[in-house]
Amino acid sequence: MSLPRFDPEAFGQWSEGIARFMGTAKFLVYMTIVILGWIAWNTLTPKSWQFDPYTFTFLTLILSLQASYAAPLILLAQNRQTDRDRVAADEDRRRAAAQKADTEYLAREIAALRIALGEVATRDFLRSELARVAEELDEAADRRAKAERKKVRKALGSLADPLVADEPDDVVDSDEPPRRRSR
């Protein structure tokens, strides 16, 4: 003789449903109504209609039977809930570990960016360097212009008067052509 086969998952869901129902106010109200009706029937009706006289032995037996089935059903539901909680906790740990790894990666990336930005020229540094280069270019342009004026003066001076060509460069510092010196 073999025992009937049953699906543990379906039985577990069924037992959880019963355990959940037994934990509701609706169940307590229904149970109270049944017990009060039982007691009322067995005390207020004629003796020939009473099926469980005053000590209510049969009611006690029914309640004991209900309690003996309720306890394992509740334990089964609790075990299933514990299993679900364990799976959820494992998933939460996995997610937390992944988030921690992501956070550590982002922290390393931000640190690397900060280090890299420390080596990057700032706007103020670039402005000062550009201003310095512009000054150097202006000075170089001034030197070239002076050199050109000097060449022009020498060329003009050698054509007009040989003495003017011998004049020192720092005496004439304007854009005007050189003048003859009086002798």
Side-chain angles (χ1 to χ4, degrees), residues 153-154 162-172 178-179 181:
R153 267 186 248 127
K154 281 186 182 182
L163 292 176
V164 175
D166 293 336
E167 187 177 302
D169 292 334
D170 58 347
V171 173
V172 179
R179 294 185 208 146
R181 277 200 256 174

Side-chain angles (χ1 to χ4, degrees), residues 16-115:
E16 277 184 340
I18 291 173
R20 285 184 200 281
F21 177 69
M22 290 175 84
T24 63
K26 185 187 274 189
F27 174 77
L28 291 174
V29 168
Y30 289 162
M31 185 66 120
T32 303
I33 290 171
V34 168
I35 290 172
L36 289 176
W38 186 296
I39 291 171
W41 181 269
N42 286 298
T43 55
L44 301 176
T45 59
K47 288 266 186 212
S48 61
W49 289 6
Q50 295 177 1
F51 57 89
D52 190 18
Y54 168 64
T55 58
F56 310 116
T57 308
F58 189 54
L59 176 62
T60 305
L61 178 66
I62 295 294
L63 291 176
S64 296
L65 183 65
Q66 184 256 336
S68 69
Y69 274 97
L73 289 175
I74 291 169
L75 286 174
L76 180 62
Q78 286 176 343
N79 289 341
R80 288 173 53 86
Q81 185 61 46
T82 301
D83 292 343
R84 280 193 298 274
D85 291 344
R86 187 177 308 115
V87 169
D90 290 343
E91 182 65 19
D92 289 345
R93 275 192 290 277
R94 187 193 64 75
R95 284 184 186 161
Q99 287 176 345
K100 182 180 178 186
D102 289 346
T103 303
E104 289 173 352
Y105 170 76
L106 290 174
R108 286 192 304 273
E109 289 297 313
I110 290 172
L113 286 173
R114 283 185 178 168
I115 290 169

Side-chain angles (χ1 to χ4, degrees), residues 96-180:
Q99 287 176 345
K100 182 180 178 186
D102 289 346
T103 303
E104 289 173 352
Y105 170 76
L106 290 174
R108 286 192 304 273
E109 289 297 313
I110 290 172
L113 286 173
R114 283 185 178 168
I115 290 169
L117 282 176
E119 298 170 1
V120 171
T122 64
R123 186 180 336 177
D124 294 335
F125 174 75
L126 287 176
R127 284 181 181 159
S128 67
E129 287 297 306
L130 287 173
R132 186 183 59 78
V133 168
E135 287 175 11
E136 288 175 5
L137 289 173
D138 289 343
E139 289 172 6
D142 288 344
R143 284 193 302 271
R144 280 193 302 275
K146 279 184 182 181
E148 287 295 319
R149 284 193 304 263
K150 185 177 175 182
K151 285 182 187 177
V152 168
R153 267 186 248 127
K154 281 186 182 182
L156 289 176
S158 65
L159 292 174
D161 186 9
L163 292 176
V164 175
D166 293 336
E167 187 177 302
D169 292 334
D170 58 347
V171 173
V172 179
D173 194 21
S174 70
D175 290 335
E176 298 177 14
R179 294 185 208 146
R180 289 183 173 238

